[in-house]
Amino acid sequence: MTGRQNAVWALSRIEGDGARRATRAALADMASDVQQAAAHSTGLHRDAGAVDGLIRLLRTATPPVCRAAAEALGRIGSPRAVAPLLALADEPMDRTLEHSVTYALIEIGQPDAVPLTRLAKRPGGLRVALTALDQMEGGRLAAADVLPLLTSHDAKLRGAAEWICDRHPDWGEALAAHYAGALSAVVTAAESEALAVRLAKLATAPAIQSLLASGVGDASQSKRSRLTGLAAMASASVNPAPVAWLDAIDAISTPLQPVAVQTLVTLRVAKAQQQRATAMLRRLGSLAALPDRQRTLAFSGIIAGLFAPDEAEFDYLLGQLDTDKPFTQRSNAAKALAGASLSDGQLARLASQLGRVGPAEAAAILPAFGRGRDASLGQALLAVLRQASWLRGLDAAVLQKATAGYGKTVQRQAAGLLAKAKAAPADQAKRLRELADGLPVGDALRGKAVFRGPKAGCSTCHSMAYHGGNLGPDLTRIGQVRKRMDLLEAIVFPSASFVRSFETMQVNTDDGGVFAGIIRDQDAGQITLALSPEKSMRVPRGNIRHMEPMPVSLMPPGMDQVLTRKELADLITYLEVSQ
């Protein structure tokens, strides 16, 4: 067999009818390796005389030989091969062979030879035909050919139809008409989630944008329908957000306002829309009827520099920094205050509480002090730094930014305090050993309460036995793969190591945006970046200028300074027994 195969390869290098006839004869060889070599050779020479032999191989040969035969028929370009290729697509085949068949049809480039009407009861052939026509020059695929298949019972055919529709924003009007009925009829949470994903992908089409705006703004629609529209808006990679979306969100009444907040903070608005979006978020953040989680999220979503909080807003956010508040609320409040334009009086009040906040909140808030100039405020900040338990874990650049407005003397004193705090202990390993030696015996049941409680906020990002968030890794069986010291290190120094696929990525966009988050989903057209437990955004790949992993975890460091030694021991014990 090897000799016959080598003979075929030799014939491939010889020009002339004799060599082509001999190669065609090899298509009927009993050995599949010889058949595959002969098919490849006929394709290289675009030998029209080999079409019949190649078609016979499609019907009888092994998948690798079928693939070579399909590729050869595509290169030859004979319309006679269309029907046999579509017949092959009706049979079960792997993705590699399906690709070869599809590409062969594209290369043949004869749309009139691809009869969609005669393939209605042949889902395999219809799927391949639709994909090929969509890619084929002059394919003339119309929305009417594809839209009915969006409800097909065949999952693969339905998926192909969805993929084709995603590539055709020019079908916007037809797509909007199709999905208007689906949006009104959505009933279950699963239907809502699937439909929101579909609409988000199509949202670059103006007609789909209008559909979402009208659906969300129509109070006569079901709650599930309007929630679906809001979820689609939140996931869409539309920049800037359509004015009609802001109108619809602004008109939402109490029952849907928590979701309206989560949607509004994810939208990317044009500069001309920023003041309006700020006013909307301030109004939502001031609604006492909303849960604190959504109120703080609303304030945190305001663009930095546009928020000058009044006393009521400031008092509210300051109260949310208390360590007995849930982690998400503390984090949102810290972010809101960090981006706000605070008066010297507000900064002084913030400084008085700074020593009692957690390390993550302190690191977020400190840069706000860099906008101050009052000498007494600088001294007050130094007084806080002398007593702060979180100073050792603070980044020097953050501290430099916080003291920038108070002169070189304050900056020098602050830098000295930081250097002194970092001097002992000198390394993480030593710190971990000291912590481990000083921990009491833990209790798993109490540790479960710590995990789910507001102080640590672990369940905000991590799930344990289906309870909790999904921004970070699932910890249900963490005790099987991590030992006690590993768990302690992950809690105290979360940037020491990363779980694969949960690395923090920095994404720089062509329009000047800089975002840090975890990639939750991606395809050829876009990535979905989770910025926090409550906020994600889609970024088109065409808008990404640069993307790279960061050496810093989204999980805040210094949890040993937030929890008592007893709470830390209980938490580690709970994680250890989770197997």
Side-chain angles (χ1 to χ4, degrees), residues 234-561:
S235 299
S237 57
V238 179
N239 184 19
V243 173
W245 288 8
L246 296 181
D247 292 340
I249 294 172
D250 208 5
I252 284 176
S253 56
T254 304
L256 294 179
Q257 282 173 338
V259 183
V261 171
Q262 292 177 290
T263 301
L264 186 54
V265 298
T266 64
L267 298 184
R268 301 181 69 181
V269 297
K271 190 171 184 179
Q273 301 170 328
Q274 289 178 357
Q275 290 293 345
R276 181 185 181 185
T278 297
M280 291 169 62
L281 288 167
R282 290 183 73 169
R283 178 177 65 81
L284 290 165
S286 299
L287 292 176
L290 281 184
D292 288 321
R293 182 165 179 164
Q294 275 69 44
R295 292 183 67 185
T296 55
L297 178 62
F299 285 122
S300 74
I302 298 174
I303 295 173
L306 297 182
F307 180 35
D310 59 31
E311 289 309 304
E313 292 169 328
F314 180 78
D315 288 345
Y316 172 74
L317 291 170
L318 199 62
Q320 295 299 312
L321 293 176
D322 290 345
T323 53
D324 63 343
K325 300 292 185 183
F327 171 77
T328 303
Q329 290 169 211
R330 302 197 309 265
S331 179
N332 287 340
K335 182 182 177 185
L337 290 169
S341 299
L342 303 177
S343 67
D344 284 345
Q346 290 173 333
L347 284 171
R349 289 181 61 195
L350 186 58
S352 68
Q353 188 165 329
L354 194 58
R356 300 191 297 274
V357 304
E361 293 79 61
I365 291 171
L366 272 170
F369 289 91
R371 295 188 285 274
R373 294 293 183 271
D374 186 84
S376 62
L377 182 59
Q379 292 302 316
L381 190 56
L382 286 174
V384 171
L385 294 175
R386 291 188 184 98
Q387 303 296 323
S389 61
W390 40 255
L391 182 60
R392 182 177 51 81
L394 194 66
D395 187 89
V398 173
L399 187 59
Q400 186 176 22
K401 189 174 182 180
T403 56
Y406 305 109
K408 292 188 179 298
T409 300
V410 171
Q411 282 190 306
R412 186 165 54 251
Q413 289 178 311
L417 290 171
L418 180 62
K420 184 178 179 180
K422 287 181 177 292
D427 60 73
Q428 292 185 5
K430 181 180 179 181
R431 174 63 177 160
L432 288 174
R433 287 195 299 272
E434 290 177 348
L435 274 174
D437 292 342
L439 290 180
V441 176
D443 178 85
L445 190 60
R446 291 198 306 262
K448 180 178 180 180
V450 174
F451 183 88
R452 296 189 176 187
K455 192 173 183 180
C458 303
S459 61
T460 301
C461 299
H462 298 281
S463 62
M464 181 74 80
Y466 304 106
H467 176 90
N470 61 4
L471 181 64
D474 187 319
L475 303 181
T476 301
R477 302 187 186 280
I478 188 66
Q480 292 183 353
V481 295
R482 292 288 184 99
K483 302 300 182 185
R484 186 174 181 82
M485 286 300 291
D486 297 328
L487 293 169
L488 181 61
E489 181 185 56
I491 293 169
V492 179
F493 301 114
S495 297
S497 62
F498 297 93
V499 176
R500 186 177 295 277
S501 79
F502 286 92
E503 302 91 343
T504 306
M505 302 295 293
Q506 179 170 300
V507 178
N508 298 68
T509 59
D510 288 336
D511 53 6
V514 180
F515 307 97
I518 296 170
I519 295 177
R520 309 303 289 152
D521 190 21
Q522 58 183 314
D523 56 31
Q526 61 190 357
I527 67 168
T528 300
L529 196 67
L531 307 178
S532 72
E534 299 176 301
K535 186 175 181 180
S536 297
M537 65 181 298
R538 291 179 183 267
V539 185
R541 289 192 181 274
N543 190 35
I544 296 175
R545 180 167 54 86
H546 182 65
M547 181 167 64
E548 63 179 355
M550 298 177 66
V552 180
S553 171
L554 284 186
M555 178 176 166
M559 194 58 68
D560 57 312
Q561 299 164 45

Side-chain angles (χ1 to χ4, degrees), residues 50-137:
V51 169
D52 289 336
L54 291 167
I55 289 174
R56 281 193 295 272
L57 288 180
L58 291 180
R59 299 179 181 131
T60 61
T62 62
V65 177
C66 285
R67 186 167 65 247
E71 291 168 357
L73 288 167
R75 292 191 184 101
I76 295 168
S78 171
R80 288 196 295 122
V82 170
L85 287 167
L86 291 174
L88 180 61
D90 287 331
E91 303 298 326
M93 57 182 175
D94 59 37
R95 289 287 294 157
T96 306
L97 179 54
E98 181 178 332
H99 177 272
S100 295
V101 171
T102 305
Y103 193 69
L105 292 170
I106 295 169
E107 283 191 302
I108 291 170
Q110 297 289 328
D112 292 337
V114 183
L116 292 180
T117 55
R118 294 204 296 273
L119 296 172
K121 296 183 179 181
R122 297 166 53 187
L126 182 56
R127 182 179 73 251
V128 167
L130 288 170
T131 306
L133 285 171
D134 184 60
Q135 303 289 302
M136 195 184 298
E137 187 174 349

